[in-house]
Amino acid sequence: MDTKKDIDTADTKVTRRDFLYLTTGSFTAVGAGALVWPFIAQMNPDASVKAMASTEVDLSPIMPGQSITILWRGKPVFVRRRTEEEIAEAQAVKQADLPDPETDETRVQKPEWLVMVGVCTHLGCIPLGNKGEYNGWFCPCHGSHYDISGRIRKGPAPKNLEIPSYVFLDDNTIKIG
Amino acid sequence: MSDDYEPQSAVAKWIDKRLPIITLFSGHLMQFPTPKNLNYWWTFGGILTFCLITQIITGLVLAMHYIADANLAFASVEHIMRDVNYGWLLRYIHANGASMFFIAVYLHMARSLFYGSYKEPRELIWIIGVFIFLLMIATAFMGYVLPWGQMSFWGATVITNLFSAVPFFGEAITNWLWGDYSVSGALLTRFFTLHYLMPFLIFGLVILHIWALHVPGNNNPEGIDVVKGQDTVPFHPHYVVKDVLALVVFMIVFAGLVFFSPNILGHSDNYIQANPLQTPEHIVPEWYFLPFYAILRAIPDKLGGVIAMVSAIAILAFIPWLDTSKVRSSKYRPLYRQFYWLLIVDFILLGYLGSQSATGIYLILGRLATLYYFLHFILVMPLIGFIEKPKPLPKSISEPVLTKEEQLTKSGQMA
């Protein structure tokens, strides 16, 4: 092979060999990626898990002031039917007092019904109901206090309790997820 | 071979001084002097390594979803096929990967047999290889049991019952293997454990296999000793590229199976859950066991059949001493070469007969084929070494190539 000629033209001209290297390299990279992906994706939630990803809840047995806990995607969801006083208390809180400011209105679809994921935003424990300094929830693991809207008020948790996506199918039924 | 290698970067030097792993790998995978005349039959070592790694990786991933329990195993395999993301792909790669593994290993062994790669000084490479083959058989068999379909269950029953042929202790041994009085969930869990363990044992043996190979270096199609430097080229890039090309062709066939006919080598009965009260009408092992299965059935005696089948594999380990010829490559053994091809045909015939029911002409042919299989090793191999007059060996591996070129130039001049 005429190596001298190759060296002379290397800087200025794209050779067939450059083209071959690039196309081979790209095809190999794409192929390897396509091959690796199934091995990674297999660890994602599978079809049987996804099929169980939404839950319907009958609200009719819940009296004002009562809470129920239901299991959704392996996590507890608190559904609380709040009293008029509790709603008023939740709405009256000043935004400046909140570490993670959010109005009560943005956290509920109907003020009477508070639906939230019962997992402490600190390290994943389940907060206890009707406890804590703010008349809401209290996490026994590291002492986070949540108010009657599920907002963090005091303690190490950084965020308010998460609101799952849910819809009212009718007045007495919600579908979570 | 690795003496002339010096790590370049400071980090590489630092590591290599403390643990000469870079020198080791570069010596054995890059500069390793390899005969320059290796043909494509020599690419199956690399292909087999690929197969082993593919089986280990897909197996690991499948084990994340599979449940080794008699009540759940079958459903968990269906769960892998239907629910798990790409589960169908992973399982089909693993199942067909076993077939591709055996295709490659049979070709690899056939190559060694043809070119006399088992002969002095490479006996131990061959013997380690026989042990790898044995472990592969055990691993594949146990893996086939795991889906807990009808073929899994009854295959396990038939094969474990082979041990009941052992005089006096037969029943005690089978009960010990089963952990029960029949094939049951106890066997399934222990098979799963062993199926998971064995590939790593194979991996260890593969390292010994390659280590033993790298002491004398590769045999070659001429079967003569090579002169380092004059007759060899570095493994990289020459044989890396050749191996990769062969691997790509192999993978095309592999992908063809996986994507277009993933069940063609399996048995549809294995999609029926194991039923201890009903045996399928026609029980056959996976295709790669058929020749040995035919040998088992050729002998009309239970213990005799088992002994014959085990011997059919065990005898391979003695080939280095059964072959008395001084010449390695069958290229220069005109007489032996014909018997070699007869053995290949015989082995394929045994495979075909293993898939048929053992009656009438099939049984007679099965016995004849079994007879030849053993005669080849016990009688033909030792005798031909004395009778045969081998063709003159070339002085170097370059000679046959050069003579061919000279002939070509001559004929070119004439034309």
Side-chain angles (χ1 to χ4, degrees):
Chain A
M1 213 173 56
D2 192 353
T3 41
K4 192 171 178 299
K5 197 180 163 194
D6 276 359
I7 293 163
D8 285 347
T9 53
D11 299 336
T12 49
K13 222 173 124 199
V14 179
T15 62
R16 276 163 186 262
R17 180 148 296 192
D18 291 336
F19 175 76
L20 282 174
Y21 273 138
L22 272 174
T23 42
T24 311
S26 336
F27 269 85
T28 310
V30 171
L35 191 64
V36 165
W37 176 243
F39 289 84
I40 296 166
Q42 54 88 18
M43 284 172 78
N44 277 325
D46 63 40
S48 67
V49 172
K50 283 179 183 158
M52 308 299 280
S54 66
T55 307
E56 285 182 25
V57 187
D58 180 14
L59 301 176
S60 53
I62 310 169
M63 292 294 114
Q66 278 187 331
S67 280
I68 62 160
T69 304
I70 52 134
L71 198 66
W72 172 70
R73 292 187 184 175
K75 291 180 285 196
V77 170
F78 299 150
V79 180
R80 184 175 181 91
R81 186 170 184 178
R82 299 190 295 188
T83 60
E84 292 297 328
E85 300 85 66
E86 286 171 345
I87 297 168
E89 184 190 330
Q91 288 174 347
V93 174
K94 274 186 250 147
Q95 293 295 296
D97 294 343
L98 297 171
D100 180 17
E102 240 182 331
T103 62
D104 188 59
E105 285 78 8
T106 59
R107 292 179 57 78
V108 291
Q109 292 181 18
K110 294 180 182 176
E112 193 180 12
W113 296 102
L114 177 64
V115 180
M116 58 190 186
V117 177
V119 175
C120 181
T121 57
H122 182 220
L123 291 171
C125 295
I126 300 170
L128 305 168
N130 302 316
K131 283 230 162 58
E133 293 171 19
Y134 295 88
N135 188 27
W137 285 266
F138 171 71
C139 181
C141 289
H142 304 95
S144 292
H145 298 258
Y146 296 91
D147 66 14
I148 196 63
S149 188
R151 292 172 296 200
I152 181 66
R153 301 299 291 271
K154 189 181 169 189
K159 296 265 179 199
N160 301 333
L161 289 178
E162 188 198 336
I163 307 294
S165 64
Y166 64 95
V167 285
F168 277 88
L169 298 177
D170 56 55
D171 281 348
N172 280 322
T173 319
I174 57 166
K175 187 177 140 195
I176 307 172
Chain B
M1 75 206 127
S2 53
D3 314 332
D4 39 39
Y5 176 75
E6 285 289 332
Q8 296 305 311
S9 78
V11 179
K13 277 179 188 158
W14 188 91
I15 293 171
D16 211 59
K17 198 175 174 190
R18 285 150 181 87
L19 177 71
I21 192 165
I22 302 171
T23 312
L24 180 81
F25 278 97
S26 108
H28 285 278
L29 298 175
M30 309 269 288
Q31 294 135 322
F32 187 73
T34 317
K36 60 186 175 186
N37 60 338
L38 299 189
N39 56 34
Y40 277 102
W41 296 105
W42 260 264
T43 59
F44 286 98
I47 286 172
L48 284 162
T49 312
F50 163 81
C51 287
L52 179 61
I53 292 170
T54 304
Q55 292 303 87
I56 288 179
I57 294 175
T58 50
L60 262 171
V61 160
L62 288 171
M64 292 181 189
H65 305 281
Y66 171 78
I67 303 164
D69 177 290
N71 294 315
L72 303 171
F74 187 82
S76 78
V77 172
E78 284 309 301
H79 164 73
I80 290 169
M81 294 302 289
R82 291 152 195 254
D83 294 341
V84 174
N85 301 304
Y86 298 100
W88 59 272
L89 177 64
L90 301 166
R91 176 166 171 264
Y92 280 154
I93 292 177
H94 197 71
N96 288 288
S99 285
M100 294 305 288
F101 207 157
F102 274 95
I103 289 173
V105 87
Y106 281 133
L107 291 173
H108 190 63
M109 291 164 80
R111 187 269 291 159
S112 293
L113 274 178
F114 186 84
Y115 293 111
S117 299
Y118 49 83
K119 281 171 173 293
E120 201 274 329
R122 297 183 181 82
E123 302 95 325
L124 211 48
I125 311 172
W126 171 262
I127 291 171
I128 294 168
V130 173
F131 278 98
I132 294 174
F133 180 56
L134 254 181
L135 273 180
M136 276 178 65
I137 290 175
T139 311
F141 161 65
M142 290 182 184
Y144 194 56
V145 173
L146 302 184
W148 213 237
Q150 276 288 69
M151 278 294 158
S152 301
F153 185 90
W154 293 100
T157 302
V158 170
I159 300 298
T160 50
N161 262 312
L162 293 179
F163 291 91
S164 70
V166 176
F168 307 114
F169 307 107
E171 200 187 328
I173 293 174
T174 47
N175 287 350
W176 175 76
L177 281 174
W178 291 332
D180 203 330
Y181 301 101
S182 64
V183 171
S184 72
L187 181 88
L188 178 60
T189 9
R190 58 189 66 176
F191 269 23
F192 178 59
T193 312
L194 295 172
H195 182 72
Y196 205 122
L197 166 74
M198 284 182 170
F200 298 98
L201 298 181
I202 293 176
F203 200 88
L205 283 182
V206 166
I207 290 172
L208 293 185
H209 195 61
I210 296 172
W211 186 4
L213 168 70
H214 280 207
V215 175
N218 294 79
N219 184 27
N220 65 81
E222 306 305 319
I224 57 174
D225 293 330
V226 295
V227 182
K228 189 182 152 185
Q230 177 195 323
D231 294 336
T232 62
V233 288
F235 185 73
H236 179 80
H238 300 276
Y239 285 108
V240 169
V241 169
K242 192 162 183 155
D243 278 359
V244 166
L245 177 61
L247 181 61
V248 167
V249 173
F250 183 82
M251 284 165 91
I252 290 171
V253 179
F254 194 166
L257 270 180
V258 167
F259 290 105
F260 294 104
S261 50
N263 289 307
I264 197 164
L265 297 171
H267 200 294
S268 52
D269 270 352
N270 220 29
Y271 283 104
I272 302 168
Q273 191 166 1
N275 180 356
L277 297 178
Q278 194 195 8
T279 308
E281 233 167 76
H282 191 49
I283 286 215
V284 278
E286 289 280 80
W287 70 266
Y288 36 81
F289 295 146
L290 289 174
F292 300 106
Y293 188 58
I295 291 174
L296 168 76
R297 294 190 307 181
I299 313 291
D301 174 71
K302 184 173 172 181
L303 182 60
V306 175
I307 291 174
M309 187 176 71
V310 175
S311 309
I313 299 164
I315 201 167
L316 299 174
F318 298 95
I319 288 178
W321 295 279
L322 288 169
D323 183 355
T324 51
S325 174
K326 296 267 179 281
V327 177
R328 289 196 194 105
S329 175
S330 294
K331 236 174 127 175
Y332 300 100
R333 302 185 60 190
L335 185 57
Y336 176 71
R337 193 163 60 207
Q338 309 194 15
F339 286 96
Y340 169 85
W341 288 114
L342 185 57
L343 177 73
I344 299 292
V345 170
D346 185 65
F347 193 70
I348 294 169
L349 177 66
L350 277 171
Y352 169 73
L353 296 170
S355 72
Q356 303 299 314
S357 52
T359 46
I361 184 73
Y362 294 120
L363 187 61
I364 297 164
L365 280 174
R367 287 180 179 160
L368 289 174
T370 302
L371 184 68
Y372 181 71
Y373 181 88
F374 285 105
L375 280 184
H376 180 91
F377 296 118
I378 302 173
L379 210 64
V380 174
M381 267 193 160
L383 280 186
I384 287 188
F386 296 114
I387 299 167
E388 183 179 54
K389 187 177 180 297
K391 288 202 256 177
L393 292 174
K395 286 187 194 65
S396 81
I397 60 171
S398 311
E399 197 184 88
V401 186
L402 292 176
T403 4
K404 205 188 275 175
E405 265 175 12
E406 274 165 27
Q407 280 166 354
L408 282 174
T409 350
K410 268 181 199 162
S411 61
Q413 281 166 349
M414 281 164 79

